[in-house]
Amino acid sequence: MAILLGHCNRRTGCKMELPGLAFAVWMFICFYASVDSYPSGKIREACTSMIPCHGSSPQLSPEHTITVNGTEFKPGDNIEVHLSGPDFEGFFIQARDAEHLDSPAVGSFMLVDRKLSQLLTCGRIKNSAVSHTSKAKKKYIKVYWIAPGDAPKRVQFLATVVKKYKLFWVKIPGPVVSQPNVLSPTTPLHATSEAISTSHSVSYLSKPFNASGCGSMKFCIRNPSNCDPESASCFFLSFQEEKSSVFIEMSGPSEGYLAFALSHDQWMGGDDAYLCVNEDHRVHVSTAYLKGRSPPVLDSENVLEDVSWRLVDGILQCSFRRSISLPAYKGRFNLNASYYIFLADGEASEGGLIYKHRHQPLITNGVYNVTDLPQDIGGSRSPQLIKAHGALMFVAWITTVSIGVIVARFFKPVWSRSFLFGKEMWFQVHRMLMLTTVMLTSISFVLPFIYRGGWSQQAGFHPYLGCTVMALTIFQPLMAGFRPSRHAPRRQLFNWFHWSTGTTARILAVVTMFLGMDLPALDLPDPWDTYTMIGFVAWHVGIEILLEIHSYCLVRKVEVIEDDRVQILQSLTSAEAEGRLFKHVVLTIYVSGNIVFLIAFLAAINHI
């Protein structure tokens, strides 16, 4: 039995019954729009109507109820929302303006049980709806609704519940929560306050940060470069000197934590760190000390002032003030010196326990003094040594190896009468390309070990396959150095081993690159990188098939006369020579295509 919430008539509003014409339109869409069922709950099509296209009308008297833990809210508050009742399979929850229930969803949600519920994005508001993850029966759902900064005066919760495929209720009305006071546009940035365990106060931010003053009044770090802090994909960190202190702003897409650290080098360990952690839907700001690659050690004393935060639509923001010099606090660096700056994000549990950052932290390319001349810079989430490792491997296995294989396989007859430094031209070109591959692979192979200072335990199968490819890469030219003469009895055996070793190395290299592209240290755009690599493999295989077909057609032209082997060889050589122009054209196109793929990968590595 499948569960589906799909397109329906928006005029139904929040009523529990459908007028005849609206119901007819709704049924037409359901049966003729070729929409499949969604037992997984990924039902963004229902964002507006909240009506499931199950081929029947909704029930009138709901059996399920929505409850909340409060009647009033302020921007940034978290409201517990409960959906309960007899066993049901699917559900869809939203919050809307109580005065305009046909308006878009309001605010965002946070999950309690990811096995039963998942977040959906309706319109431009991230995580603005909650639905089921499967059609498994359930009796109770609990989520948190986060009030946005621009929330209407009164907000009502609505739910659609599917008990069985043709038994469901639409827009079950829930409680209405309201604001005691509405923030005016002139309300200052720090709008509300609450006491915490220290002597300092914590305020709620009423609006997102902005990049005005970056490079002129404050030192800013943005990722991607020059991104707008108000956008849903921008990581932002700013420092503004104010007399003997520095005011710091940090924001980014995270529902767990954001953190930055000041470091004397580009390695984790011995660093001065600052964390903004989502603890039970409130942001806790603290200092910490990083020791090696172990979890940060949070400080028991709070040295930060004017702490403010905001958690809306999946964007975490926090700001605070810190004295430039804190000689009484061990582990706190002076802010008037130069450091590498790290910016990281990751997940956190409801108790505030933080997990390892979900992707490579952003690291500035050099040391900076945040109290010196204001600058507006970016950074890199991929270390230079790892970038070089990826770039050299791409050059070796996308260009030199592939071209060298094509030359050896299909250009022996074409270039057999051309010589370069006393050897046949095809052989010299092949050998030069393969030796270049060995050199590039060897250099690239050692770079991750230099960066990591040893073996990486976090890279999965990539390093194991990489070592295998390196071993085969070294073994191949060593074996070629001992190849028998052309007419020796063991030459066929050598040819077979040479081909099988090279082919195995190429296949493993491609698999290794596929695995490496998904590692956070390289920070390639996903899934673009995978599609591009698939495109290259298809391109190479297609060219080989084309040349194989061409060679087969030439062989068919050979006339066998009295089973004379010499005559057959001469005829075959003549036939191959006839295809010289075709092969040169194909090789030119192939090399050009490989260069295009290589440029695409190098541009992705450098985020051009």
Side-chain angles (χ1 to χ4, degrees):
M1 182 182 298
I3 298 172
L4 165 68
L5 296 177
H7 290 292
C8 301
N9 197 317
R10 293 183 60 178
R11 296 183 181 180
T12 56
C14 192
K15 298 179 180 178
M16 297 299 293
E17 59 183 8
L18 296 173
L21 178 60
F23 179 72
V25 173
W26 168 67
M27 291 288 288
F28 177 82
I29 293 174
C30 291
F31 283 102
Y32 295 100
S34 299
V35 180
D36 293 328
S37 297
Y38 291 94
S40 65
K42 295 182 178 179
I43 44 181
R44 295 179 184 176
E45 292 86 350
C47 282
T48 301
S49 66
M50 298 184 70
I51 302 177
C53 291
H54 288 181
S56 60
S57 59
Q59 303 299 304
L60 300 180
S61 301
E63 300 179 354
H64 305 80
T65 57
I66 308 171
T67 58
V68 296
N69 69 336
T71 58
E72 292 188 349
F73 71 91
K74 299 188 297 293
D77 281 355
N78 301 286
I79 303 291
E80 282 189 22
V81 182
H82 307 263
L83 175 63
S84 59
D87 286 349
F88 55 96
E89 296 180 347
F91 66 92
F92 191 58
I93 302 174
Q94 281 187 352
R96 296 189 179 184
D97 186 343
E99 307 297 331
H100 305 281
L101 290 177
D102 286 334
S103 62
V106 173
S108 58
F109 288 89
M110 293 189 69
L111 303 179
V112 174
D113 189 343
R114 295 180 182 272
K115 294 181 179 179
L116 297 178
S117 55
Q118 63 181 325
L119 298 171
L120 299 179
T121 296
C122 286
R124 297 182 178 180
I125 303 177
K126 186 177 181 181
N127 303 334
S128 54
V130 185
S131 74
H132 54 279
T133 57
S134 71
K135 63 177 184 177
K137 294 186 181 300
K138 49 194 79 71
K139 293 177 181 282
Y140 173 78
I141 295 294
K142 174 184 174 181
V143 294
Y144 286 93
W145 178 73
I146 305 170
D150 57 351
K153 284 185 178 182
R154 301 171 69 246
V155 173
Q156 184 172 19
F157 295 95
L158 305 173
T160 289
V161 177
V162 177
K163 187 173 183 179
K164 294 182 179 180
Y165 184 74
K166 292 190 177 182
L167 182 62
F168 56 89
W169 295 263
V170 175
K171 288 186 178 178
I172 300 173
V176 175
V177 294
S178 59
Q179 298 189 63
N181 296 299
V182 180
L183 296 173
S184 67
T186 58
T187 303
L189 188 63
H190 302 159
T192 60
S193 283
E194 61 183 41
I196 61 171
S197 58
T198 67
S199 60
H200 305 303
S201 64
V202 174
S203 301
Y204 176 77
L205 296 167
S206 62
K207 59 183 179 180
F209 300 137
N210 60 72
S212 62
C214 285
S216 59
M217 298 177 60
K218 56 187 179 182
F219 185 101
C220 297
I221 301 173
R222 292 190 269 176
N223 180 249
S225 297
N226 300 317
C227 65
D228 183 356
E230 297 188 28
S231 71
S233 60
C234 182
F235 289 91
F236 177 75
L237 177 64
S238 72
F239 303 84
Q240 185 170 3
E241 184 178 7
E242 299 176 354
K243 296 182 179 179
S244 61
S245 65
V246 174
F247 186 70
I248 300 168
E249 298 173 325
M250 179 166 55
S251 67
S254 176
E255 294 181 355
Y257 71 90
L258 290 175
F260 81 89
L262 306 175
S263 178
H264 295 291
D265 52 38
Q266 291 184 304
W267 300 89
M268 282 185 61
D271 306 326
D272 180 12
Y274 300 81
L275 294 89
C276 299
V277 184
N278 177 10
E279 294 186 10
D280 299 324
H281 318 294
R282 293 185 177 273
V283 177
H284 178 67
V285 183
S286 65
T287 56
Y289 181 76
L290 299 181
K291 185 177 181 181
R293 294 181 178 270
S294 57
V297 180
L298 300 182
D299 292 332
S300 57
E301 296 183 274
N302 194 350
V303 299
L304 306 178
E305 301 176 348
D306 297 339
V307 175
S308 303
W309 62 271
R310 186 172 186 255
L311 185 62
V312 176
D313 298 337
I315 305 298
L316 192 157
Q317 295 175 243
C318 62
S319 63
F320 52 89
R321 188 184 309 279
R322 208 215 85 167
S323 298
I324 293 177
S325 178
L326 293 170
Y329 295 91
K330 183 180 179 181
R332 303 280 75 79
F333 295 175
N334 290 336
L335 297 183
N336 56 2
S338 296
Y339 307 100
Y340 289 98
I341 303 173
F342 290 63
L343 180 59
D345 67 292
E347 295 183 353
S349 67
E350 287 197 8
L353 176 65
I354 68 172
Y355 301 102
K356 182 181 177 181
H357 40 77
R358 58 188 178 188
H359 50 72
Q360 189 78 7
L362 180 142
I363 306 174
T364 57
N365 295 323
V367 293
Y368 293 93
N369 184 342
V370 298
T371 61
D372 204 346
L373 293 176
Q375 297 187 54
D376 188 5
I377 65 171
S380 174
R381 292 187 181 271
S382 180
Q384 295 299 324
L385 287 176
I386 300 300
K387 284 185 177 181
H389 167 75
L392 291 176
M393 285 298 186
F394 281 133
V395 172
W397 294 94
I398 286 183
T399 53
T400 57
V401 159
S402 302
I403 297 171
V405 168
I406 293 291
V407 168
R409 177 69 183 88
F410 299 102
F411 281 79
K412 287 182 184 179
V414 177
W415 292 346
S416 60
R417 296 180 182 179
S418 301
F419 293 88
L420 184 65
F421 302 115
K423 295 283 187 178
E424 292 177 333
M425 184 174 175
W426 74 266
F427 177 76
Q428 293 288 50
V429 172
H430 172 75
R431 182 164 63 177
M432 177 189 67
L433 291 172
M434 293 308 178
L435 290 177
T436 302
T437 299
V438 174
M439 179 186 68
L440 294 176
T441 304
S442 300
I443 295 172
S444 177
F445 178 77
V446 301
L447 296 181
F449 291 96
I450 296 175
Y451 172 72
R452 294 290 181 187
W455 186 266
S456 174
Q457 301 293 338
Q458 310 295 328
F461 289 103
H462 178 76
Y464 296 97
L465 290 177
C467 288
T468 304
V469 171
M470 185 72 251
L472 294 174
T473 303
I474 295 296
F475 178 70
Q476 185 76 330
L478 292 177
M479 180 171 57
F482 294 95
R483 68 182 179 278
S485 61
R486 181 170 298 178
H487 303 293
R490 292 179 297 174
R491 182 58 181 252
Q492 284 297 109
L493 183 62
F494 164 80
N495 289 342
W496 187 89
F497 272 109
H498 189 63
W499 174 85
S500 59
T501 302
T503 301
T504 302
R506 290 166 60 205
I507 293 173
L508 290 180
V510 170
V511 174
T512 306
M513 286 192 289
F514 268 111
L515 296 176
M517 289 187 302
D518 289 333
L519 294 177
L522 197 53
D523 191 34
L524 289 178
D526 186 64
W528 177 92
D529 55 343
T530 302
Y531 294 151
T532 305
M533 194 66 189
I534 292 173
F536 165 72
V537 173
W539 167 254
H540 178 80
V541 172
I543 291 294
E544 284 212 29
I545 292 175
L546 177 64
L547 291 173
E548 286 286 0
I549 294 173
H550 177 258
S551 298
Y552 175 77
C553 292
L554 290 179
V555 171
R556 296 282 294 177
K557 294 181 180 180
V558 175
E559 296 181 1
V560 180
I561 302 174
E562 295 181 357
D563 199 25
D564 187 339
R565 293 179 181 269
V566 176
Q567 184 62 39
I568 294 173
L569 181 61
Q570 291 174 348
S571 299
L572 181 60
T573 303
S574 176
E576 286 281 6
E578 293 177 6
R580 182 178 290 111
L581 177 61
F582 175 82
K583 288 189 175 182
H584 281 150
V585 171
V586 172
L587 181 63
T588 302
I589 295 174
Y590 178 70
V591 172
S592 301
N594 281 25
I595 292 174
V596 170
F597 278 107
L598 179 62
I599 292 174
F601 280 117
L602 296 182
I605 289 175
N606 289 283
H607 299 280
I608 298 175

